[in-house]
Amino acid sequence: MDVVVQLQRQLADHTASLFHEGFLNEQFNQLQQLQDESNPDFVVEVVSLFFEDSERLLNELAKALEQQAVDYKKVDAHVHQLKGSSSSIGAQRVQGVCIPFRNFCEEQNIEGCLKCLQQVKHEYSLVKNKLETLFKLEQQLIAAGGSFPTL
Amino acid sequence: MATVGEVFRRSLPETIDQVRDDSSSSSELHVLAVDDSLVDRKVIERLLKISSCKVTAVESGTRALQYLGLDGERASVGFNESSVLREIPVVVMSSENILTRIDRCLEEGAEDFLLKPVKLDDVKRLRDFIMKGDGKDGGETRIHKRKRQDDYASLSSPSPFPACDPSSPLMPSSSPSARSSKRAKLRNKD
C-alpha cells in the first residue's frame, strides 16, 4: 500500500510541476477528461501522435531552413502546424515559441528563424521527457495496483 | 494555411442516394470532420464521440468531397441540385482568432466558428445548438446560408469544401448586428 501512496504522490507532484512550470496548460486537462474506461489510453495515444508529428515537423523545418533560398511560406506552414498540434495537447511552451517563429518567417529573418528552431527543439525535448516520465509513473502506479485521478 | 471545418449532418447514411429517405427519426448527429492535422483529428473525433455524435474524420477538403460523393466524375448528385446537402450546417474550426476571417466565414454561411484548441464545452454547446434545429435562429443565419452557391459548384476550385478559405483575399467586414453577439462570444476566447 505504501508503494501506491508513494507513487501517487510522485505522480501528483510531477504533474503539478508540469503545470506550474508552464510546460502544460489547461488543454492537457481537457484531454484527460476525454479519457475513460472505454478509451483508457487516449492521452498517451494523442501525445504519441504529437511526438511523431512534431519530430517530422522539426526535421522538415531544419531542412527548409538549410536551403540556399529559404521558402519562408513553407517554413511558416510547418510552424503553424506545430503551433496547432502543441496547442491541442496543451504543450504551452512549445506553442509559445511558435509565435515569434512565425513573426520571423513573415520578416524573412533567417537568424531569428534559426534561433527559434533551436528554442522550439529545446522546449519540445523538455516536454517530451517530462510527459514520458508522467506516463511511466502512471504505468508504475497501475502496476502497483493503484489508480490515478484525472485532474 | 490549411483550412479545416466540420460538416454536421443528421444521421448520414452510407450512400448519398439514401439522403432523401433520411427523415429526422434518428437523433444522432453525424459529423464529417475535416482537419489536416492528425493530432487534431484524433482530438476532435474523441470530443465528438464523447458528445454522442457519430464521426467521420478526413484529412482534406478533397477527401470530404469524396466522402460525400461529390468528387466530380463520380458525383451522383450535383451540389446545386441536392437541396438536402445544401442544408448541412457547416462549422469552421481554426486556431486563428482573426475577426475579419471569422466574419467572413459566418457571412459565407458557416453556422458557427470554433476557436482551437477546441474544448469539450465548445462541442457540447455546438451540438446542442445544432440539435435544437436548423432554422431556430430564424432568418438571420438562413439568409447567409450558401449565398455563394456558385463557388461550390465548381469542384475543381482550390478552396476546400465546405469551409471557407481564409487564405484568399478578405472582404471588408461589414457585420450586421445579427452576428455581433456571436462574434462577441467568440472574441472572448483569448
Side-chain angles (χ1 to χ4, degrees):
Chain A
M1 264 306 144
D2 269 342
V3 175
V4 171
V5 171
Q6 215 174 29
L7 282 170
Q8 276 175 336
R9 183 168 302 155
Q10 262 185 293
L11 181 59
D13 286 346
H14 184 67
T15 309
S17 79
L18 274 170
F19 281 89
H20 186 68
E21 290 163 28
F23 286 102
L24 294 178
N25 66 18
E26 222 279 311
Q27 190 61 22
F28 190 76
N29 289 336
Q30 285 282 318
L31 288 189
Q32 289 177 315
Q33 278 183 44
L34 301 178
Q35 183 162 289
D36 59 21
E37 312 80 43
S38 69
N39 272 70
D41 301 315
F42 179 70
V43 180
V44 173
E45 285 167 7
V46 178
V47 172
S48 301
L49 280 178
F50 168 70
F51 288 160
E52 279 172 38
D53 205 41
S54 302
E55 269 146 47
R56 176 188 61 90
L57 288 168
L58 290 172
N59 282 335
E60 294 292 323
L61 280 168
K63 260 195 290 184
L65 289 169
E66 271 166 22
Q67 301 304 308
Q68 278 279 47
V70 176
D71 181 350
Y72 286 99
K73 272 211 159 78
K74 195 176 187 182
V75 176
D76 183 67
H78 291 321
V79 179
H80 173 79
Q81 282 206 302
L82 185 57
K83 178 168 176 271
S85 55
S86 56
S87 130
S88 290
I89 69 148
Q92 192 173 253
R93 279 159 67 150
V94 173
Q95 181 191 351
V97 180
C98 293
I99 298 168
F101 203 156
R102 291 195 78 190
N103 290 336
F104 284 128
C105 286
E106 210 174 331
E107 294 167 15
Q108 307 208 345
N109 181 333
I110 188 69
E111 292 298 326
C113 283
L114 288 170
K115 189 148 181 264
C116 281
L117 177 59
Q118 257 193 329
Q119 272 181 298
V120 84
K121 270 179 158 164
H122 179 66
E123 289 300 341
Y124 168 71
S125 77
L126 284 176
V127 78
K128 180 167 191 237
N129 276 335
K130 290 182 185 282
L131 282 168
E132 283 173 339
T133 302
L134 181 84
F135 295 143
K136 202 176 295 176
L137 282 171
E138 284 177 351
Q139 278 176 337
Q140 285 175 340
L141 183 52
I142 289 177
S147 62
F148 51 94
T150 49
L151 293 160
Chain B
M1 177 192 123
T3 3
V4 300
E6 297 178 346
V7 179
F8 284 79
R9 179 68 175 281
R10 289 177 192 275
S11 316
L12 181 74
E14 284 308 302
T15 66
I16 290 296
D17 294 330
Q18 288 164 32
V19 158
R20 288 182 192 88
D21 298 331
D22 177 16
S23 55
S24 48
S25 50
S26 169
S27 58
E28 191 186 44
L29 266 182
H30 184 165
V31 180
L32 176 60
V34 187
D35 200 315
D36 60 355
S37 159
L38 188 49
V39 173
D40 286 356
R41 273 205 298 285
K42 184 149 176 96
V43 174
I44 196 70
E45 187 174 32
R46 186 73 190 130
L47 280 167
L48 288 165
K49 279 185 174 161
I50 251 189
S51 308
S52 313
C53 295
K54 186 165 179 235
V55 190
T56 303
V58 297
E59 64 184 12
S60 68
T62 310
R63 289 266 178 255
L65 280 173
Q66 283 172 358
Y67 181 81
L68 292 169
L70 294 171
D71 59 341
E73 298 141 29
R74 291 174 299 159
S76 56
V77 68
F79 186 53
N80 271 330
E81 291 146 29
S82 169
S83 56
V84 179
L85 289 178
R86 285 184 63 180
E87 295 304 309
I88 302 177
V90 173
V91 174
V92 177
M93 283 192 302
S94 176
S95 58
E96 300 207 328
N97 193 4
I98 297 175
L99 200 55
T100 45
R101 285 185 176 176
I102 295 173
D103 270 348
R104 183 160 179 219
C105 291
L106 298 176
E107 278 164 24
E108 299 255 356
E111 205 64 43
D112 206 337
F113 182 93
L114 287 180
L115 193 60
K116 286 177 163 184
V118 182
K119 300 183 179 344
L120 197 50
D121 282 349
D122 297 332
V123 176
K124 288 195 161 143
R125 172 183 65 80
L126 191 59
R127 183 186 155 270
D128 291 343
F129 171 65
I130 300 279
M131 290 294 267
K132 272 199 176 102
D134 320 79
K136 197 231 174 192
D137 240 12
E140 297 159 11
T141 42
R142 275 303 162 101
I143 286 166
H144 303 293
K145 205 178 261 301
R146 304 291 187 270
K147 208 164 61 171
R148 303 273 220 88
Q149 200 55 43
D150 302 339
D151 292 351
Y152 300 122
S154 157
L155 296 168
S156 58
S157 116
S159 57
F161 167 91
C164 64
D165 182 2
S167 60
S168 47
L170 301 168
M171 301 186 312
S173 126
S174 54
S175 322
S177 59
R179 284 194 305 282
S180 62
S181 60
K182 199 173 264 183
R183 280 165 56 223
K185 211 173 27 172
L186 296 168
R187 281 193 82 182
N188 289 335
K189 258 211 156 186
D190 278 318

